[in-house]
C-alpha cells in the first residue's frame, strides 16, 4: 500500500461509546513495554487518543499508527463505511485547518449541490455546524484574523446552501414555515 493510500475497510480508530470502555484491554490492546503505544492481536500499533464528543463528553479511544495524514483522513471521511473511521477522521481533520479549508473551497466551488451521502459525511465536520475561525491566529493582525473568520463563515454558508437535506428535514422546514 502506498503511503497516501489507506484501507477504508479497516478500522483506523477504536473508541468507547458512552464511556463503555475505559482501558486498553477493553479494546483487546496491550501496552508495548518502553513506549506509549499499544498493540492488537494482529500486531498493529495504536496510540491512545481522546476522541470525538457525541454529546456526553469526549470518548476514550485509540488511533492506529502511523497516524493518518490529511489525504488519508479525507479519504476515510468521504469513503469509509466504518462509523469510527468517519467520526475519527472528522475529528482529526481539525488538525489540518489550512488543508481542510482549501479542500472544501475547491469542493464547494465546483458543485451546484452536494449529494445526500456526502452531505451526511461532511456534517460530521465541526466547522460546517459552528462558525469559528479554525486558522492559526498567533502573530496575525486583527484584519487577517477577521479575513480568516470570513472565509470559514463562507464555507459554512456554502455548505448550508449546497447540502442536500433528507425529505423529512425538508417537510419539517415546510411545516415550520407555514406556522
Amino acid at each position: 500500500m502506498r503511503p497516501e493510500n489507506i484501507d477504508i475497510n479497516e478500522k483506523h480508530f477504536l473508541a468507547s461509546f458512552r464511556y463503555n470502555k475505559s482501558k486498553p484491554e477493553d479494546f483487546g490492546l496491550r501496552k508495548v513495554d518502553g513506549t506509549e503505544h499499544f498493540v492488537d492481536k494482529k500486531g498493529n500499533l495504536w496510540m491512545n487518543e481522546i476522541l470525538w464528543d457525541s454529546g456526553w463528553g469526549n470518548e476514550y479511544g485509540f488511533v492506529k499508527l502511523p497516524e493518518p495524514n490529511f489525504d488519508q483522513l479525507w479519504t476515510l471521511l468521504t469513503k469509509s463505511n466504518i462509523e469510527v473511521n468517519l467520526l475519527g477522521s472528522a475529528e482529526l481533520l481539525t488538525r489540518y485547518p489550512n488543508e481542510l479549508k482549501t479542500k472544501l473551497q475547491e469542493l464547494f466551488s465546483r458543485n451546484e449541490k452536494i449529494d445526500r451521502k456526502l452531505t451526511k459525511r461532511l456534517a460530521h465536520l465541526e466547522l460546517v455546524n459552528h462558525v469559528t475561525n479554525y486558522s492559526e491566529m498567533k502573530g496575525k493582525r486583527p484584519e487577517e484574523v477577521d479575513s480568516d473568520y470570513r472565509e470559514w463563515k463562507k464555507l459554512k454558508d456554502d455548505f448550508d446552501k449546497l447540502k442536500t437535506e433528507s425529505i423529512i428535514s425538508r417537510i419539517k422546514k415546510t411545516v415550520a414555515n407555514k406556522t
Side-chain angles (χ1 to χ4, degrees):
M1 183 182 332
R2 296 194 321 250
E4 65 273 3
N5 291 337
I6 194 160
D7 187 346
I8 63 172
N9 299 310
E10 192 175 291
K11 284 186 180 182
H12 295 273
F13 300 89
L14 300 173
S16 60
F17 177 74
R18 295 186 184 183
Y19 307 115
N20 66 341
K21 297 178 181 180
S22 60
K23 301 181 301 269
E25 298 80 33
D26 296 339
F27 297 92
L29 302 176
R30 63 178 171 75
K31 181 96 168 115
V32 176
D33 292 335
T35 73
E36 296 181 6
H37 302 120
F38 300 85
V39 67
D40 63 20
K41 290 177 179 142
K42 294 180 181 177
N44 295 308
L45 281 178
W46 297 83
M47 173 178 67
N48 184 246
E49 185 78 43
I50 300 300
L51 297 169
W52 56 87
D53 181 350
S54 295
W56 40 80
N58 292 87
E59 296 292 350
Y60 176 74
F62 298 86
V63 176
K64 189 177 189 181
L65 297 176
E67 187 174 312
N69 64 30
F70 174 81
D71 291 325
Q72 292 167 328
L73 291 169
W74 182 259
T75 297
L76 290 174
L77 177 71
T78 58
K79 295 188 170 114
S80 181
N81 291 321
I82 299 173
E83 186 176 13
V84 290
N85 285 346
L86 178 65
L87 297 172
S89 60
E91 181 75 19
L92 292 190
L93 278 167
T94 59
R95 295 180 181 178
Y96 301 94
N98 296 331
E99 295 91 336
L100 185 56
K101 182 169 48 169
T102 300
K103 180 69 102 174
L104 291 172
Q105 286 169 332
E106 290 169 0
L107 176 69
F108 295 166
S109 70
R110 68 175 189 263
N111 286 288
E112 291 182 22
K113 269 297 189 205
I114 299 171
D115 68 45
R116 181 72 185 128
K117 186 175 179 181
L118 185 55
T119 294
K120 287 174 72 174
R121 289 171 177 277
L122 294 179
H124 289 284
L125 293 169
E126 181 68 23
L127 70 99
V128 298
N129 297 305
H130 302 96
V131 178
T132 193
N133 186 352
Y134 294 90
S135 300
E136 175 66 41
M137 292 183 242
K138 188 176 179 180
K140 288 188 175 179
R141 296 187 329 267
E143 307 83 49
E144 292 172 299
V145 172
D146 186 54
S147 176
D148 285 340
Y149 171 80
R150 285 192 311 274
E151 287 179 352
W152 286 107
K153 182 176 183 333
K154 183 177 180 338
L155 280 175
K156 185 200 181 325
D157 293 344
D158 288 349
F159 176 74
D160 288 342
K161 183 174 56 179
L162 297 172
K163 69 183 179 183
T164 304
E165 295 180 323
S166 70
I167 188 77
I168 302 297
S169 296
R170 285 184 274 170
I171 291 169
K172 286 180 182 178
K173 278 186 180 178
T174 303
V175 170
N177 288 338
K178 288 182 179 180
T179 56

